[in-house]
Amino acid sequence: MNDLIALINFSHLNHVEFEELCFELLLKLGFSKVTWNWGGADSGRDIEAHLSINNSLLGYYYDRFFIECKHHEKGVPPEKLNSKIAWADAEKPDHLVFMVSSYLTEKSRIWLEKIRSDKPYKIHVLEEAQLKRLISQHEDIIKKFFLKNDKVTLLNDTKKNWLIHGIVPSFTTLTFLFENLDIDSLPTSDLVFLYILYYSNYSKMEQLDTDRSIEISDL
């Protein structure tokens, strides 16, 4: 799990890609009627979604969510949140969620705490660390958004994490490297690194699941 979190770097995404990431994560988390307001006026939310709830007294019902995606390198100040609060006040969803690629400033935290009790909807904040933990549970999302970058850079980061931090890459990461690197052009040291990782951690998986085995006969 730790090595998957290490692969998640929001700085590799632009604003639109971060919104798309949030959209796909919501689908994975069981939300329905997920609508991404891409390319136009968002009416106070980047994404709108519903979550079904099964209550023994009331039966099934849906809560309506407004989701605002904030892709920032630094802390998000209150003025970046204020207009979304105003829209939620006007349209009254059940929940307003801020999905933040960085973190809220202290002023934003204090302000949200002060206004929470006065709102008819619930306010939630998911910051960088929380988002990474959620995303790390979905390897297909990681592969789509974070393993599409420079394959050599990924190999170097994987080597560093293993040699310095003792983090063994996931099978998904190793598979991606084998399938996308030009093996013939790699130096011997990189070939040995991949060979050792595979045989010390994953070669026995062939006996359990032949569909997931890696072809390394060319090494």
Side-chain angles (χ1 to χ4, degrees), residues 32-156:
S32 62
K33 299 182 181 178
V34 184
T35 304
W36 177 21
N37 299 312
W38 178 78
D42 62 16
S43 299
R45 66 277 199 187
D46 294 313
I47 301 170
E48 182 173 338
H50 292 77
L51 187 65
S52 61
I53 300 169
N54 185 12
N55 182 278
S56 58
L57 177 63
L58 302 177
Y60 280 99
Y61 65 94
Y62 289 92
D63 268 6
R64 184 183 180 207
F65 285 73
F66 283 6
I67 297 97
E68 178 65 21
C69 309
K70 292 296 183 186
H71 188 28
H72 289 244
E73 293 183 2
K74 299 181 179 180
V76 180
E79 55 266 26
K80 295 294 184 179
L81 311 177
N82 189 48
S83 64
K84 311 306 175 182
I85 296 290
W87 270 104
D89 288 347
E91 299 207 15
K92 297 178 176 58
D94 299 295
H95 303 266
L96 174 62
V97 182
F98 292 104
M99 302 179 80
V100 184
S101 64
S102 55
Y103 58 92
L104 297 185
T105 63
E106 187 63 22
K107 286 184 178 180
S108 291
R109 296 179 195 279
I110 293 173
W111 177 62
L112 288 180
E113 284 302 317
K114 287 182 177 179
I115 66 173
R116 266 192 171 103
S117 60
D118 297 328
K119 302 300 179 183
Y121 50 87
K122 295 181 180 178
I123 300 174
H124 313 271
V125 179
L126 295 173
E127 297 175 278
E128 180 181 13
Q130 296 164 291
L131 277 179
K132 286 184 174 182
R133 283 196 295 272
L134 287 173
I135 294 167
S136 68
Q137 300 171 28
H138 304 282
E139 293 186 4
D140 54 338
I141 291 182
I142 293 176
K143 185 172 182 179
K144 176 177 179 179
F145 289 94
F146 301 104
L147 298 187
K148 64 181 181 180
N149 297 299
D150 188 348
K151 296 173 285 295
V152 175
T153 299
L154 175 61
L155 174 61
N156 291 333

Side-chain angles (χ1 to χ4, degrees), residues 182-216:
D182 182 1
I183 296 297
D184 294 334
S185 68
L186 292 179
T188 302
S189 60
D190 287 344
L191 292 175
V192 171
F193 166 73
L194 293 170
Y195 180 91
I196 291 174
L197 277 180
Y198 175 73
Y199 275 105
S200 61
N201 296 283
Y202 299 114
S203 61
K204 292 183 179 179
M205 290 183 67
E206 295 184 32
Q207 303 170 14
L208 302 176
D209 187 351
T210 56
D211 292 336
R212 298 191 65 183
S213 64
I214 298 176
E215 178 59 56
I216 61 167

